[in-house]
């Protein structure tokens, strides 16, 4: 979970304002079609079919809101950075999942209310509108199946890429069937305004799919990256360094991530998300990738000069978004070190840049107190342990705390799980509203979030990125 920064005693961030604005736009887009078609006929001159009861119109309203929330699902996952910036990807994907279930609820209620209310007339008449009936049913079934395979993907042992393809297909089918259903029922397409409205919605939705599946990948193809090196790291990981080919590359904030395509064209839609582990102040980009499945295990086979493609940056897990914080607490578990080392490398570069420019030490964010808690199983799988020790020497304000769950004999540091006690021993939260950043296995992240809350850290000061979107 990630939360935007709390604003008590601090300037109201532009992210909070933009975030509120987008929520308003979202609600407007969800409800506008309903408002125009059903609630304001007198303003628009649109007339409703005569002689229909409140429950019939209510059921139709549920269907329309369900359909517009379904269409907006595509906007949420289209990875528009302006949309993700205020919240972070984690929140957007959570919202996407909740809205999917909400939308299924509305869409199921739509025929249910209609059947209960008009059972006597409908039970014998569905076959007079067979296409409307079957497309409505097909839309509901597609949505139901989509949610079922998403919720139970792990239990169904469905490979991620295959799930992604089916997710897209079922999503498109659910909406396409629903649009045909609305057109076949026809009551709400009688007036030109209604036709414009639904025509516009359908066109916008098709344009979105063209943008995501075609235009964006084509732009990635025009702006490729090449592999500079792949270096093995502790913890069964590999550091992949890439640089832009004949273009300026992207700018990112430490802690953000990008979608990486390798061994395939961006048009193939076989991309994987990875946090930047490099400094945001350098043109070459590094990802540090732990071997997990098919894709990540192939990373070490990449060779210098080979083309890869990235789409980004995304994510809100960045200290750069909190320049007024009195200090930063970074908490990493396993490969969750990547966004944290990106911060530390960036801070070290900024400090070196200041020194080179003769800027006296002051109160820049990278000079404020900061802690890195790093939980791993053993010392030998502690990725970047040597570089972290070097960064401690470079950044005098950094305190590094290793926690090993399976420490070797003679280990003098913290051991066991990362708990509130461990954190309390090193950070005194009464000294300031430190911003906390967490990244690691989901179970650890939830436990750390609870630990921080028990130490009195406001929820708005806790920011997290989960490495599993589904
Ligand atoms: C925001 C974010 C940042 C990440 N940063 C890093 C990082 O810095 N280093 C690192 O090693 N890992 C990172 N990951 C995890 C990484 O994306 C997965 O480990 C990788 O995609 C696994 O793919 P695979 O084919 O090797 O393994 P698989 O066995 O196919 O997948 C293992 C799990 O990874 C996830 N996954 C797989 N494919 C995708 C995909 N195309 N899109 C989204 N999720 C997928 C699924 O939860 C899946 O269950 C990050 C994930 C996210 C969401």
């Amino acid at each position: 979970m990630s939360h935007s920064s709390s604003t008590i005693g601090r300037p109201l961030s532009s992210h909070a304002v933009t975030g509120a604005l987008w929520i308003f736009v979202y609600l407007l887009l969800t409800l506008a079609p309903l408002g125009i078609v059903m609630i304001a006929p007198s303003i628009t001159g649109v007339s409703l079919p005569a002689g229909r009861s409140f429950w019939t119109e209510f059921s139709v309203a549920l269907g329309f809101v369900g359909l517009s929330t379904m269409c907006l699902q595509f906007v949420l996952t289209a990875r528009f950075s302006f949309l993700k910036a205020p919240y972070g990807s984690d929140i957007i994907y959570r919202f996407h999942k909740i809205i999917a279930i909400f939308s299924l609820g509305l869409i199921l209620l739509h025929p249910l209310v209609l059947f209960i209310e008009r059972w006597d007339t409908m039970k014998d008449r569905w076959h007079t509108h067979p296409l409307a009936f079957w497309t409505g049913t097909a839309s509901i079934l597609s949505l139901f199946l989509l949610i079922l395979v998403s919720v139970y993907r792990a239990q169904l042992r469905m490979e991620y890429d295959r799930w992604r393809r089916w997710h897209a297909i079922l999503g498109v089918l659910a909406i396409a069937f629903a649009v045909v259903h609305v057109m076949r029922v026809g009551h709400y397409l009688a007036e030109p305004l209604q036709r414009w409205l639904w025509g516009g919605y359908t066109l916008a939705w098709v344009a979105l799919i063209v943008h995501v599946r075609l235009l964006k990948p084509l732009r990635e193809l025009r702006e490729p990256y090449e592999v500079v090196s792949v270096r093995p790291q502790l913890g069964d990981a590999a550091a992949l360094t890439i640089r832009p080919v004949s273009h300026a590359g992207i700018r990112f904030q430490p802690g953000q991530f990008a979608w990486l395509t390798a061994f395939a064209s961006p048009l193939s839609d076989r991309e994987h998300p990875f946090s930047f582990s490099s400094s945001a102040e350098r043109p070459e980009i590094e990802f540090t990738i732990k071997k997990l499945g098919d894709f990540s295990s192939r990373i070490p086979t990449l060779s210098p000069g080979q083309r890869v493609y990235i789409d980004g940056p995304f994510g809100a897990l960045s200290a750069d978004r909190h320049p007024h914080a009195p200090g930063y607490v970074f908490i990493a578990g396993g490969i969750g070190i990547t966004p944290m080392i990106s911060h530390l490398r960036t801070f070290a570069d900024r400090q070196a840049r200041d020194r080179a420019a003769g800027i006296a030490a002051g109160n820049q964010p990278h000079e404020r107190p900061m802690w890195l808690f790093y939980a791993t199983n053993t010392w030998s799988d502690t990725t970047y342990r040597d570089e972290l020790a070097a960064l401690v020497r470079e950044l005098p304000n950094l305190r590094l705390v290793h926690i090993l769950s399976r420490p070797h004999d003679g280990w003098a540091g913290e051991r066991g799980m990362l708990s509130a006690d461990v954190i309390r021993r090193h950070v005194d939260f009464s000294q300031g509203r430190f911003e906390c950043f967490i990244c690691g296995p989901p179970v650890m992240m939830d436990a750390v979030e609870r630990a921080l809350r028990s130490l009195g850290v406001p929820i708005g000061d806790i920011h997290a990125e989960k490495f599993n979107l589904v």
Side-chain angles (χ1 to χ4, degrees), residues 89 153 159-161 164 257 259 270-276 287-297 335 338-339 465-470:
S89 304
R153 183 181 72 85
E159 189 209 350
Y160 192 89
D161 282 336
R164 235 164 90 115
F257 71 94
W259 291 80
R270 287 164 63 187
E271 48 188 1
H272 293 251
F274 294 102
S275 299
F276 299 100
F287 298 107
T288 308
I289 299 175
K290 188 180 170 75
K291 279 184 206 159
L292 202 68
D294 286 357
F295 180 82
S296 45
S297 304
I335 198 61
T338 51
E465 190 90 81
K466 286 207 166 110
F467 274 5
N468 60 331
L469 296 177
V470 181

Side-chain angles (χ1 to χ4, degrees), residues 274-288:
F274 294 102
S275 299
F276 299 100
S277 54
S278 47
S279 161
E281 299 295 330
R282 299 193 184 196
E284 287 189 345
I285 287 173
E286 183 187 285
F287 298 107
T288 308

Side-chain angles (χ1 to χ4, degrees), residues 117-184:
E117 214 265 327
R118 306 169 81 192
W119 178 247
D120 284 346
T121 49
M122 285 193 72
K123 70 178 194 302
D124 304 318
R125 280 188 40 208
W126 66 266
H127 47 82
T128 56
H129 294 295
L131 195 58
F133 177 84
W134 287 117
T135 46
T137 309
S139 173
I140 292 175
L141 281 179
S142 307
L143 187 61
F144 185 72
L145 212 59
L146 183 155
I147 292 176
L148 199 75
V149 291
S150 301
V151 174
Y152 294 106
R153 183 181 72 85
Q155 288 86 338
L156 293 168
R157 295 173 193 276
M158 196 168 193
E159 189 209 350
Y160 192 89
D161 282 336
R162 197 146 60 93
W163 168 81
R164 235 164 90 115
R165 268 193 301 282
W166 276 107
H167 191 73
I169 293 170
L170 289 170
V172 169
L173 285 180
I175 294 184
F177 281 130
V179 168
V180 179
H181 171 76
V182 172
M183 282 161 53
R184 291 306 299 172

